[in-house]
Amino acid sequence: MLRKTLLAGAALLLAPMPALAQDVTVTVDAAKPGSTIDRHIFGQFAEHLGSGIYGGIWVGKDSPIPNTRGIRKDVVAALRAIKVPVVRWPGGCFADEYHWRDGIGPQDKRKSSVNTNWGGAGEPNSFGTDEFMDFADLVGAEAYVSVNVGSGTVQEAADWLAYMTADPSTTAGKERAANGHVAPYKVKWLGLGNESWGCGGSMRPEAYVDLMKRFARFTHNLDPKQGEKGPEPMQRIAVGPNDNDTTYTEAVMAAWKGHDWAWNIEGLSMHAYTTGGWPPSYPSTGFDETGYAKLVKAALAMDGMIAKHSAIMDKYDPEKKVPLAIDEWGVWLAPLPGSNPGFLYQQNSLRDAIIAALHFNIFARHADRVRMTNIAQMINVLQAMILTDKEKMVLTPTYHVFRMYVPFQDAQAVPVSLDAGTYTQGDVTMPRVDAIAARGKDGKLWLAVTNLDAGKPARIAVKFAGLMAKSAKGEVLTAAKVDAVNSFEAPNTVVPKPIGGTVAKGAVTLELPAKSVAVVEIGG
């Protein structure tokens, strides 16, 4: 008996001790409202790439997969649940080789082609303008259409805008009506090219600016409601910076500053991916805590990039009339082994969800300048919300973060201060905790807290100015491992679970697990 007792004691000494919670104090000043967190910050991006469109959105009217006019019903329902505000289409690099007339009219009469950008896949053009607009309407999202500046013409772009927005009494409007949609489509956002510094034509900034002016001048939205003087004018987004390169930012903003009555732009795009180095080599599955920490640290660079380009924009636009639209962002990893490398298919882990939450927090802190973003991409490509395989569909951890953050759409940011602490893994050091808060359109106060530390829980003591908290309840997303994913076989490995806070004397204490994201409603 004594020997058994000694052995049991030794086993307890050798067993790993549970990690102790790290204390973090967060102060929320609920009495000082800040900038509005524009709902378009939570936008999506769908490019003709891999199975993002075909199989992901479009299955055709004759498919045994339940569909509405060829569009997957399960995907539409999932996207409606996260209140997608805007979808960017048709690309990406694909946009600057897309010719819109190939994708209208009877399906059996449409021109087929090859997608030279992404894996040499066949492009049947089954999903074209009318199908995209139908999809956006089903989802409840605004349309962000990118016109072909790289290989197209101003006339082609102008004709496309006429097809989408002209009155049905016109020739262009009659053609649209003949294809099944009498009323003009609403085109809220228009992208004037894509990555013109790269796959969109490798143009010098000066060359792009000259071309941009022509497209801005002659691509008119002909719907009186969306025209330049209408109540809901279309917003034209110019090509802007790639990561930290400021040459396009300077050139486009200088041109905007000097624009005259003949042309204008209403936004500047920015593309910045979390890769950890180029070409992307980090795996989407089977990585350890070091791989987790390095990529999370890389994601935090988004804050500095926005600040850098915002400072240049402020020189020309101190009133912040021109928004910075980060219309491509997300985790770009190595293609999943066994997949076509040109299809950019990767799994989506808890790590990616945490990175998404950090991006939302960064965008919210720059809400005075950042008023639209589009994660790359929506389905089956890069950091996707949804993965599909024939009739099967699974929601990724990133999807769940988007759903958790829905209360922040069009909410008013309130100041948050905290001593974030430090998380260190190997030679990687970063803040341990990140947080934002906002008052929703319904008047409720919401707090989002992310614990970046992969090994230690965090005890969050939340104090309030201008509010006596009476309750705290919400959801938390975490999993046993940093590389946990949702698969078709195990779709609920990483899903939100309820979390509540302890309330005492108007303050709230949250016990936050390691590597987790929580969104909590504070009752007052």
Side-chain angles (χ1 to χ4, degrees):
M1 178 65 70
L2 177 62
R3 182 173 181 273
K4 288 183 179 179
T5 302
L6 290 173
L7 287 173
L12 287 172
L13 289 171
L14 294 172
M17 296 294 291
L20 298 176
Q22 303 292 300
D23 292 335
V24 175
T25 299
V26 175
T27 302
V28 179
D29 193 343
K32 291 184 178 179
S35 299
T36 297
I37 302 171
D38 197 307
R39 72 184 189 280
H40 296 99
I41 282 173
F42 302 92
Q44 299 287 330
F45 173 33
E47 181 172 3
H48 287 242
L49 198 173
S51 55
I53 299 293
Y54 301 110
I57 295 173
W58 179 259
V59 291
K61 299 176 183 178
D62 298 328
S63 172
I65 298 172
N67 67 84
T68 302
R69 295 178 294 278
I71 296 166
R72 294 183 69 125
K73 288 186 175 181
D74 53 357
V75 165
V76 167
L79 295 173
R80 287 189 68 87
I82 60 173
K83 300 186 183 299
V84 174
V86 57
V87 179
R88 178 174 178 247
W89 173 87
C93 293
F94 181 80
D96 278 303
E97 66 173 23
Y98 182 66
H99 300 285
W100 67 275
R101 282 202 165 276
D102 295 344
I104 64 169
Q107 291 279 337
D108 60 353
K109 303 293 185 182
R110 296 187 186 184
K111 179 181 176 181
S112 63
S113 57
V114 173
N115 189 333
T116 60
N117 283 290
W118 304 116
E123 172 53 62
N125 282 302
S126 305
F127 189 86
T129 303
D130 297 295
E131 290 77 19
F132 169 69
M133 290 297 186
D134 190 11
F135 168 71
D137 184 62
L138 289 171
V139 171
E142 293 172 348
Y144 179 5
V145 177
S146 296
V147 297
N148 182 346
V149 171
S151 68
T153 65
V154 176
Q155 183 66 60
E156 181 183 23
D159 289 346
W160 195 10
L161 263 292
Y163 176 83
M164 291 187 284
T165 66
D167 187 273
S169 64
T170 66
T171 298
K174 287 178 181 177
E175 184 176 20
R176 182 190 63 245
N179 289 331
H181 202 276
V182 175
Y185 290 120
K186 182 177 180 181
V187 183
K188 176 65 176 177
W189 311 87
L190 190 74
L192 304 180
N194 169 80
E195 296 187 3
S196 299
W197 36 260
C199 66
S202 298
M203 301 179 201
R204 293 175 299 107
E206 299 81 8
Y208 171 73
V209 165
D210 286 342
L211 199 53
M212 172 196 76
K213 292 177 181 179
R214 295 180 60 214
F215 275 82
R217 171 69 179 90
F218 296 111
T219 49
H220 299 294
N221 190 314
L222 300 177
D223 185 342
K225 293 182 180 179
Q226 302 171 67
E228 293 183 14
K229 297 182 180 180
E232 302 175 69
M234 182 177 71
Q235 309 294 299
R236 291 160 293 191
I237 310 297
V239 172
N242 173 33
D243 289 338
N244 281 302
D245 189 340
T246 61
T247 53
Y248 263 66
T249 311
E250 287 276 7
V252 174
M253 289 306 299
W256 174 84
K257 180 69 174 179
H259 81 271
D260 58 24
W261 64 270
W263 71 276
N264 195 10
I265 56 169
E266 290 79 29
L268 181 75
S269 79
M270 170 181 161
H271 291 182
Y273 287 92
T274 299
T275 64
W278 196 264
S281 60
Y282 277 70
S284 60
T285 59
F287 52 86
D288 59 13
E289 186 177 344
T290 298
Y292 160 87
K294 287 183 176 179
L295 211 60
V296 170
K297 177 68 176 291
L300 296 175
M302 176 64 80
D303 184 71
M305 279 187 274
I306 294 174
K308 184 176 185 177
H309 295 294
S310 293
I312 294 171
M313 296 176 76
D314 287 347
K315 288 194 308 179
Y316 302 99
D317 175 30
E319 296 178 349
K320 300 184 187 296
K321 295 179 180 179
V322 180
L324 182 62
I326 305 172
D327 55 18
E328 288 190 30
W329 68 271
V331 177
W332 190 328
L333 304 169
L336 198 67
S339 67
N340 184 330
F343 286 5
L344 305 187
Y345 183 85
Q346 62 192 44
Q347 248 295 0
N348 192 295
S349 67
L350 175 63
R351 174 191 62 188
D352 305 330
I354 288 172
I355 288 174
L358 292 174
H359 275 79
F360 293 155
N361 296 355
I362 291 168
F363 298 153
R365 285 192 281 268
H366 291 279
D368 59 344
R369 181 65 80 178
V370 177
R371 299 199 284 276
M372 179 171 68
T373 84
N374 308 82
I375 191 170
Q377 290 185 14
M378 192 161 57
I379 305 168
N380 292 332
V381 178
L382 298 177
Q383 192 175 352
M385 309 303 99
I386 296 168
L387 302 177
T388 65
D389 180 13
K390 299 182 177 64
E391 75 285 353
K392 294 182 286 188
M393 182 189 81
V394 67
L395 306 177
T396 69
T398 297
Y399 172 92
H400 292 302
V401 170
F402 267 82
R403 189 188 61 74
M404 291 166 66
Y405 269 75
V406 163
F408 288 88
Q409 293 191 15
D410 284 339
Q412 197 166 35
V414 298
V416 171
S417 60
L418 72 160
D419 179 5
T422 301
Y423 164 47
T424 299
Q425 170 63 24
D427 60 355
V428 180
T429 298
M430 70 187 91
R432 187 171 66 246
V433 172
D434 193 37
I436 61 169
R439 194 171 290 282
K441 291 188 295 183
D442 57 2
K444 295 178 180 179
L445 185 67
W446 293 89
L447 176 67
V449 188
T450 300
N451 182 7
L452 285 65
D453 195 317
K456 296 178 181 177
R459 182 179 296 109
I460 312 295
V462 190
K463 300 178 180 179
F464 300 91
L467 175 76
M468 286 289 291
K470 296 179 180 179
S471 64
K473 59 181 181 179
E475 292 181 304
V476 62
L477 186 73
T478 189
K481 298 180 179 180
V482 291
D483 65 338
V485 302
N486 293 334
S487 64
F488 298 114
E489 296 74 27
N492 297 316
T493 302
V494 190
V495 295
K497 296 180 180 179
I499 187 174
T502 303
V503 181
K505 297 181 180 180
V508 171
T509 300
L510 296 170
E511 300 289 343
L512 209 59
K515 54 190 181 309
S516 65
V517 179
V519 174
V520 178
E521 177 191 342
I522 306 296

